[in-house]
């Protein structure tokens, strides 16, 4: 079987809710990142055989097959098809898995794995909350209710459960959040994101034209006092908006090819996809799945966590990476080395490709060999991807 390689990466800088990307339609946002990816790779745009795009809330402006719409908005040839993937927060990481499997099988040689989420323009949960509001029912079927009677599926509740189960108080979560901002700020100031971010020309609500190339969510003046002053989401809990991921507008894309694609188009690979795993777990605690999924991925790869140089574990809430590291005995110095979603933002279905872009860039920056990416997903699932820098 052929190998799958990541030949180019691209992402937008994250936009805060109502921020610099708020005026950009999500199809245009994703389209500009697709164009940026193809442009920096140097490949003939007509050589792209498919675009697989993750999106967690595929409704409204993100509906009607956002992948195809992004292609049409990008200026890529009409011959380039596209399809949408929904594995909630792991949508674009799953897009990577599908793209890699496709080129490994030799069905296609050049596929883009991507993701997008405009959380300003399509608020989180809109496709199902809007349907319920207008009398079209809910995803909670009678079969689900029978299996989980009077049991909510809540990411916020799951985060509180994770903190209690693994013994993290608010002080520990806030300290982790502060470190996320410090690492993201240091990475930005040192130009560590330059290899992955596609600068985008945007126009503000006031009509000012500017280039957006710095993640808006980073608090360069973050302090423990400011983070600790943010109101808790639940009385008596430990989760606040400051130690949870930021609502974010963003898109990311990865060029995935096999050996034939590399040779035909004269591409230089950045990384090889070494292992791909996905696992279902408890949908109530919901956010714990990255732990057993990582264990399964390492076992399948014949590796230990000590073989992995860098880990990207999505900072949906601070207890997620902290519990992951505690349960697996991970080295904190290798975890989210350039910050994570607490500081950089979490554009839901776009985050999988975004994290991989950052992981590949960080591996090259440090001359490291293996990287592992995982993230919790609604419904109690997790994808895990292990890559080798080339």
């Amino acid at each position: 079987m052929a190998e799958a390689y990541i030949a180019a990466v691209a992402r937008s800088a994250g936009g805060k809710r109502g921020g610099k990307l708020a005026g950009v339609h999500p199809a245009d946002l994703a389209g500009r990142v697709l164009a940026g990816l193809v442009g920096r790779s140097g490949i003939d745009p007509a050589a792209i055989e498919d675009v697989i795009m993750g999106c967690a809330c595929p409704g409204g402006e993100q509906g009607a097959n956002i992948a195809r719409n992004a292609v049409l908005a990008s200026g890529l040839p009409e011959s380039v098809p596209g399809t949408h993937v929904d594995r909630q927060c792991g949508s674009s990481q799953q897009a990577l898995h599908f793209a890699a499997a496709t080129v490994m099988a030799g069905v296609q040689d050049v596929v883009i794995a991507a993701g997008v989420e405009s959380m300003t323009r399509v608020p989180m949960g809109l496709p199902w909350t809007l349907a319920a509001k207008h009398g079209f029912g809910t995803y909670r079927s009678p079969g689900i209710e029978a299996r989980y009677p009077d049991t909510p599926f809540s990411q916020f509740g799951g985060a509180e459960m994770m903190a209690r189960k693994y013994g993290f108080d608010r002080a520990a979560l806030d300290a982790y959040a502060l470190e996320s901002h410090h690492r993201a700020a240091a990475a930005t100031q040192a130009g560590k994101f330059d290899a992955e971010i596609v600068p985008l020309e945007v126009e503000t609500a006031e009509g000012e034209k500017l280039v957006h190339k710095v993640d808006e969510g980073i608090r360069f003046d973050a302090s423990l006092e400011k983070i600790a002053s943010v109101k808790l989401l639940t009385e008596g809990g430990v989760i606040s908006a400051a130690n949870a991921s930021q609502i974010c507008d963003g898109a990311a894309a990865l060029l995935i090819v096999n050996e034939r694609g590399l040779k035909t188009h004269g591409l230089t690979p950045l990384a090889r996809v070494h292992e791909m795993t996905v696992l279902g777990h408890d949908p109530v605690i919901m956010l714990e799945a990255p732990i057993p999924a990582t264990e399964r991925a390492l076992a399948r790869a014949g590796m230990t966590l000590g073989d992995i140089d860098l880990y990207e574990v999505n900072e949906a809430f601070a207890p997620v990476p902290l519990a992951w590291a505690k349960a697996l005995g991970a080295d904190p110095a290798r975890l989210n080395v350039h910050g994570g979603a607490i500081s950089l933002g979490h554009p839901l279905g776009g985050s999988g490709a975004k994290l991989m872009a950052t992981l590949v860039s960080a591996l090259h920056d440090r001359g490291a060999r293996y990287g592992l990416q995982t993230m919790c997903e609604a419904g109690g699932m997790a994808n895990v991807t292990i890559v080798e820098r080339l």
Side-chain angles (χ1 to χ4, degrees):
M1 182 178 288
E3 299 278 10
Y5 300 94
I6 300 173
V9 303
R11 72 171 179 92
S12 68
K16 295 179 68 174
R17 177 167 54 185
K20 292 179 181 177
L21 294 178
V24 184
H25 191 291
D28 290 342
L29 173 58
R32 293 186 198 178
V33 172
L34 292 179
L37 177 79
V38 171
R40 64 174 46 174
S41 74
I43 195 170
D44 178 357
I48 307 300
E49 296 175 84
D50 204 358
V51 173
I52 305 174
M53 184 171 290
C55 182
C57 297
E61 294 183 355
Q62 294 176 168
N65 190 359
I66 183 66
R68 177 59 173 169
N69 293 334
V71 168
L72 297 178
S74 71
L76 294 178
E78 292 178 345
S79 61
V80 178
T83 190
H84 160 251
V85 174
D86 178 4
R87 202 185 287 280
Q88 291 295 280
C89 293
S91 296
S92 56
Q93 189 172 0
Q94 184 61 56
L96 166 58
H97 286 199
F98 284 154
T102 298
V103 301
M104 289 168 71
V107 176
Q108 294 171 324
D109 299 329
V110 181
V111 179
I112 291 177
V116 65
E117 208 81 41
S118 176
M119 299 181 73
T120 296
R121 300 170 73 101
V122 184
M124 184 167 58
L126 181 71
W128 49 95
T129 58
L130 186 62
K133 178 180 178 180
H134 289 278
F136 291 100
T138 171
Y139 70 90
R140 296 278 304 211
S141 72
I144 293 174
E145 293 294 349
R147 187 171 182 178
Y148 302 95
D150 301 317
T151 305
F153 295 162
S154 165
Q155 59 178 321
F156 304 104
E160 295 285 356
M161 292 179 201
M162 287 282 284
R164 289 195 298 271
K165 180 172 180 177
Y166 290 92
F168 295 111
D169 59 14
R170 181 177 184 179
L173 305 185
D174 286 351
Y176 181 87
L178 179 63
E179 182 66 16
S180 180
H181 283 284
H182 282 170
R183 291 185 178 191
T188 299
Q189 291 164 342
K192 303 295 187 183
F193 295 131
D194 292 352
E196 62 199 67
I197 290 179
V198 176
L200 300 178
E201 293 185 2
V202 297
E203 184 173 337
T204 68
E206 293 74 30
E208 178 188 5
K209 293 183 179 180
L210 49 84
V211 176
H212 176 53
K213 58 181 181 179
V214 176
D215 295 287
E216 278 191 284
I218 304 170
R219 295 183 174 89
F220 290 89
D221 62 346
S223 69
L224 199 56
E225 292 74 22
K226 290 179 180 178
I227 290 172
S229 70
V230 176
K231 183 180 179 181
L232 293 169
L233 300 181
T234 304
E235 186 176 350
V238 293
I239 303 297
S240 74
N243 59 40
S245 58
Q246 294 188 42
I247 289 174
C248 181
D249 303 332
L254 313 165
L255 184 63
I256 311 300
V257 301
N258 55 23
E259 291 95 333
R260 188 164 56 200
L262 288 175
K263 184 177 180 179
T264 301
H265 302 288
L267 300 169
T268 301
L270 299 174
R272 179 181 66 87
V273 178
H274 186 69
E275 170 61 32
M276 300 179 291
T277 293
V278 64
L279 182 71
H281 194 251
D282 182 354
V284 180
I285 195 170
M286 191 180 291
L287 312 179
E288 193 176 27
I291 296 170
T294 297
E295 293 172 330
R296 174 179 285 189
L298 291 170
R300 284 167 50 99
M303 304 175 77
T304 68
L305 199 60
D307 297 321
I308 307 296
D309 299 295
L310 296 176
Y311 338 117
E312 281 288 330
V313 181
N314 192 41
E315 295 173 359
F317 299 88
V320 177
L322 284 172
W324 182 91
K326 182 176 183 178
L328 299 174
D331 179 358
R334 304 183 192 187
L335 174 63
N336 299 346
V337 294
H338 291 166
I342 290 172
S343 52
L344 298 169
H346 175 22
L348 299 183
S351 286
K354 174 181 178 292
L355 264 62
M356 184 53 71
T358 296
L359 179 57
V360 169
S361 296
L363 288 170
H364 277 267
D365 177 68
R366 294 175 177 234
R369 184 177 181 184
Y370 286 110
L372 182 149
Q373 174 192 339
T374 187
M375 58 201 313
C376 55
E377 301 157 2
M381 301 179 290
N383 286 72
V384 179
T385 315
I386 299 174
V387 296
E388 180 184 17
R389 177 190 64 86
L390 298 175

